[in-house]
Amino acid sequence: MHKIGLALGGGGARGLAHISVLEVLDELDIKPSVIAGTSMGAIIGAFYASGMSGKDIKKLVRRHIISKDDRLRDVIDKRAHILEWTSAFAPAHARGGIIKADKFYNRLFGEISKTTFEELEIPLIVIATDYWTAEEVVFKTGELLPAVKASAAIPVVFTPVSIGGRILVDGGVVNIVPYEHILDLCDVTIAVDVSGTPTAHKHEVPSLIQSALGTIRIMQTANLAAKMKILQPDIFVHPDIHNVKLLDFNKVEDVFHQAEPAMEELRAKIAKLKAG
């Protein structure tokens, strides 16, 4: 089989669809030779690169998120985990965001034993954005957690992250699906765009947060479309996820369900690749 490179994009709660992609790769006994990730793609990519399977990551997510499909018994069983994780979020007293998520990320990455890029089982590339220079910042070595925190520092929501004297925010600001970083490192590139399908509410005035995040999403979509005209991955996966906003993590089962048709397409494309 060819050397497979995997690029996982940003999308908040919609990024949980990356887990379905990983489960398909596991099912087909395909292990990527390199992973590039932005924002939620960086988080999911870090877990997978550390050695967790797609199924393991899905179990972790389900254990810590109350889904709208959960029964009362499920909620009660999850209570200790939920309280532990929600207490890890704190209002930001510093400038730049509503939430400071340091404790959350410390707990999250406590689930894996790897602390540096060099320890990962699969090479990982993480994308962040320098707020003041508007430059893409690429992490491949050194401490894992600060890089992932910076990559997922959604503007307005999470406080920016300072690394090496640079103020960093979400990598999706400049590169929502960073597949160009792995084109020369593999034979076949799979790029996953989880930006979703916007739901039209033409007469609804968005809230302040919705307006800010929605405007960023519009710019990201335009940037990706422009890049795709010039440079395309071998396999492009775009799950048709709708009615799931950036922070709708309670809709995790909706995300998995809506991602399934795209997973069938992915299986077909990989089968064609193997046959060809």
Side-chain angles (χ1 to χ4, degrees), residues 106-258:
N106 290 337
R107 289 186 186 277
L108 183 66
F109 277 78
E111 300 281 345
I112 61 177
S113 58
K114 312 294 193 294
T115 59
T116 67
F117 283 85
E118 290 80 2
E119 294 175 79
L120 296 173
E121 295 183 11
I122 301 172
L124 177 68
I125 300 169
V126 169
I127 307 300
T129 303
D130 186 313
Y131 177 82
W132 291 111
T133 67
E135 294 175 323
E136 180 181 82
V137 180
V138 180
F139 292 96
K140 301 178 182 179
T141 61
E143 288 189 73
L144 181 63
L145 182 53
V148 172
K149 284 168 54 180
S151 182
I154 301 170
V156 182
V157 179
F158 296 112
T159 53
V161 176
S162 177
I163 300 177
R166 308 180 83 171
I167 303 302
L168 306 179
V169 296
D170 195 296
V173 173
V174 292
N175 196 343
I176 189 67
V177 187
Y179 57 84
E180 70 274 22
H181 286 278
I182 60 175
L183 289 175
D184 295 332
L185 302 175
C186 56
D187 302 314
V188 176
T189 303
I190 300 174
V192 188
D193 173 22
V194 290
S195 57
T197 304
T199 303
H201 297 289
K202 295 182 180 179
H203 303 293
E204 179 181 316
V205 177
S207 67
L208 177 62
I209 296 295
Q210 287 175 336
S211 179
L213 297 180
T215 301
I216 292 171
R217 184 194 59 76
I218 292 169
M219 292 188 293
Q220 290 171 336
T221 301
N223 289 340
L224 178 59
K227 183 169 70 172
M228 289 281 286
K229 289 179 180 179
I230 301 169
L231 191 67
Q232 295 187 353
D234 298 291
I235 296 176
F236 185 68
V237 184
H238 181 75
D240 182 19
I241 301 172
H242 50 274
N243 289 318
V244 178
K245 297 175 184 175
L246 199 72
L247 302 177
D248 282 347
F249 287 97
N250 64 312
K251 295 183 178 180
V252 55
E253 300 303 331
D254 282 356
V255 172
F256 293 146
H257 177 71
Q258 292 182 43

Side-chain angles (χ1 to χ4, degrees), residues 12-16 19 40 44 57-71 74-83 85-86 89 104 108 246-256:
R14 297 183 294 269
L16 295 172
I19 299 172
M40 180 58 80
I44 300 296
I57 300 171
K58 180 176 278 188
K59 286 180 181 178
L60 174 66
V61 167
R62 281 177 166 160
R63 193 164 73 240
H64 292 95
I65 293 177
I66 294 179
S67 165
K68 65 184 183 65
D69 297 329
D70 279 344
R71 299 166 299 177
D74 298 323
V75 174
I76 293 172
D77 290 343
K78 293 181 180 181
R79 183 176 55 183
H81 292 294
I82 301 294
L83 290 174
W85 282 63
T86 54
F89 287 102
F104 165 75
L108 183 66
L246 199 72
L247 302 177
D248 282 347
F249 287 97
N250 64 312
K251 295 183 178 180
V252 55
E253 300 303 331
D254 282 356
V255 172
F256 293 146

Side-chain angles (χ1 to χ4, degrees), residues 12 20 22 35 39 80 87 99 138 145 148 200 217 225 228 251 265 269 273:
S20 298
L22 301 179
I35 300 172
S39 199
S87 66
I99 299 170
V138 180
L145 182 53
V148 172
R217 184 194 59 76
M228 289 281 286
K251 295 183 178 180
E265 290 180 18
K269 289 176 180 178
L273 181 69

Side-chain angles (χ1 to χ4, degrees), residues 6-8 15-28 30 32 44 48 54 58 190-194 237-239 256 259-260 262-263 266-267 270:
L6 181 64
L8 304 177
L16 295 172
H18 289 316
I19 299 172
S20 298
V21 173
L22 301 179
E23 287 186 307
V24 169
L25 296 183
D26 290 342
E27 167 195 323
L28 300 176
I30 295 173
I44 300 296
Y48 195 65
K58 180 176 278 188
I190 300 174
V192 188
D193 173 22
V194 290
V237 184
H238 181 75
F256 293 146
E260 267 311 304
M263 298 309 107
L266 176 59
R267 289 184 181 94
I270 292 176

